[in-house]
Amino acid sequence: MNYTWKISKLGLTDQMSTDNVLLENAIVNVKWKRIATDDDGIKASYLGNTDLNAAISAADFVALNDVTAENVTSWIEAAITANGVATIDSNLETKI
């Protein structure tokens, strides 16, 4: 089984960092899809909407223009935890 993430939409807002610096266009929400594909090409998908904890320091902030898909998927995985990802994957397997 092959699993992929597709980012559908980013929710952005300006907010203050933990060290009181304005973070412009901070990503605070991600709408996403987790897609499972089996060896025969049969697919199933799971839609999700994850709020991100943007309470970070200015030094740890990734500006919107520098954000990669890998950044976003790692933030989703951290927010929903490994157990959450495993549960989603298990649900996708039962759909196929």
Side-chain angles (χ1 to χ4, degrees):
M1 195 74 64
N2 181 38
Y3 299 96
T4 57
W5 294 98
K6 180 178 180 193
I7 308 304
S8 304
K9 186 174 183 180
L10 301 175
L12 309 174
T13 191
D14 293 345
Q15 65 181 37
M16 299 304 286
S17 69
T18 56
D19 45 352
N20 213 27
V21 174
L22 179 64
L23 306 175
E24 294 183 15
N25 291 320
I27 300 171
V28 295
N29 179 272
V30 181
K31 292 184 180 174
W32 51 268
K33 183 188 294 188
R34 181 86 165 153
I35 304 165
T37 308
D38 72 5
D39 293 337
D40 295 324
I42 298 171
K43 295 183 179 191
S45 62
Y46 181 97
L47 299 175
N49 185 19
T50 302
D51 291 325
L52 301 177
N53 180 1
I56 60 170
S57 69
D60 292 330
F61 179 69
V62 180
L64 184 59
N65 288 339
D66 297 327
V67 171
T68 65
E70 290 78 20
N71 291 133
V72 178
T73 56
S74 71
W75 298 335
I76 294 167
E77 290 171 347
I80 65 176
T81 74
N83 286 339
V85 174
T87 299
I88 292 166
D89 289 350
S90 177
N91 289 337
L92 288 170
E93 285 180 32
T94 61
K95 286 184 175 182
I96 292 181

